[in-house]
Amino acid sequence: RGMLTLNLDSFATRSQRRERPSEDAAAFVGRDAADYAHVLASARPFIANLHGVIDSQKSWVLTKSELSELVTTPGYKAFISFVFSQMTVVCCGISVEDSAAGGFLHELSKSSLDLGPHFWITDRTDAATYGWSADAGLGVIRYSPERNTSGADDHSTPLANLLADLRNFVSKDEVARPLMPNVSSLESIPSPRDLLS
């Protein structure tokens, strides 16, 4: 339905236009998030370039002071809070050390909002990863990178397979038989007043 990206490149917008050319996605920067809150209530897809776009220098969020200013802006806070309280968020391509992603998520998880289920797709298995994801309220979906012919880690193939599995999964749970109470063993049914007490 939407994408939140911390990258300055236009990769998300280009990908969306290539894969779904008929959809008119709303694309905006983090500083303008409050102006696009109405998009969240519609069915229109969106791409929120939270740290700006490469072609607009005034939209960039690169320093700690700029990040601090952005995340304390009431409109931005409301936008992000709505996304995390009304949508299921799947994080991919972030790390524990990324204070831009993790810091705000951590603060949001300490609020009294019921944030619902959110997930983090990662290849990491270290204790910091699991501790950070637990603190941020994220379920971890793990994949293992493969070695390519040059000996480097290939994340694209295992990640694509994982996403295909998630998209195509259909639960095959057995249908439970209904419980049938044995009321014949009761000599008498208690009065409604007795049942209430």
Side-chain angles (χ1 to χ4, degrees), residues 4 40 46 78-89 115 118:
L4 307 175
L40 298 177
F46 65 91
F79 178 86
I80 296 295
S81 295
F82 184 89
V83 167
F84 277 88
S85 65
Q86 301 300 313
M87 300 176 176
T88 298
V89 176
L115 298 178
H118 303 297

Side-chain angles (χ1 to χ4, degrees), residues 71-172:
V71 300
T72 56
T73 304
Y76 181 85
K77 285 173 69 171
F79 178 86
I80 296 295
S81 295
F82 184 89
V83 167
F84 277 88
S85 65
Q86 301 300 313
M87 300 176 176
T88 298
V89 176
V90 179
C91 302
C92 188
I94 64 171
S95 67
V96 176
E97 297 81 17
D98 188 344
S99 62
F104 193 74
L105 247 179
H106 183 70
E107 290 302 313
L108 197 58
S109 69
K110 291 193 311 187
S111 71
S112 59
L113 286 174
D114 176 8
L115 298 178
H118 303 297
F119 304 93
W120 179 24
I121 298 175
T122 183
D123 67 322
R124 293 181 57 164
T125 59
D126 54 284
T129 294
Y130 288 102
W132 179 82
S133 59
D135 287 346
L138 297 172
V140 175
I141 301 172
R142 192 179 171 289
Y143 70 94
S144 297
E146 299 172 352
R147 293 272 181 200
N148 61 22
T149 54
S150 65
D153 284 345
D154 171 23
H155 292 262
S156 60
T157 303
L159 191 54
N161 292 339
L162 181 142
L163 293 172
D165 287 347
L166 289 173
R167 182 177 45 246
N168 298 326
F169 177 76
V170 177
S171 177
K172 295 182 174 112

